[in-house]
């Protein structure tokens, strides 16, 4: 349970920073190659954290259904943010 909570917090923080980097790039506040590369790296990190979150969730069948649904919703939102910030 503690691993699931820490993964959830890590996903939320990394999604926030991913959106922050993407918005500074889209608004042309900073057009640095390092910024774009770090945005791709952060998107890859978010994707990896989501996969770890899914693995932890599948190995703990005692987790209640409403918590599972909230975790899967968070996973879907995190993947959506990660892929949209890479493609746009």
């Amino acid at each position: 349970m503690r691993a699931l909570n820490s993964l959830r917090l890590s996903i939320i923080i990394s999604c926030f920073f991913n959106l922050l980097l993407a918005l500074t790039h889209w608004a042309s506040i900073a057009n640095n190659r390092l910024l774009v590369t770090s945005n791709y790296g952060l998107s890859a990190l978010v994707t990896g954290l989501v996969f770890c979150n899914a693995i932890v969730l599948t190995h703990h069948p005692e987790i209640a259904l409403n918590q599972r649904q909230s975790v899967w919703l968070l996973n879907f939102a995190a993947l959506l943010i990660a892929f949209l910030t890479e493609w746009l």
Side-chain angles (χ1 to χ4, degrees), residues 19-33 35:
L19 281 174
L20 188 68
L21 284 174
L23 287 175
T24 56
H25 178 68
W26 290 336
S28 297
I29 295 171
N31 262 345
N32 193 354
R33 182 106 172 119
L35 180 77

Side-chain angles (χ1 to χ4, degrees), residues 11 14-16 18-19 22 26 39 42-51 71-88:
I11 288 172
S14 57
C15 280
F16 173 74
N18 196 2
L19 281 174
W26 290 336
N39 191 11
L42 201 53
S43 293
L45 178 72
V46 168
T47 307
L49 285 173
V50 166
F51 286 142
V71 168
W72 283 114
L73 186 63
L74 175 71
N75 285 348
F76 176 73
L79 284 178
L80 187 67
I81 289 170
F83 292 141
L84 285 179
T85 54
E86 281 186 21
W87 289 334
L88 297 179

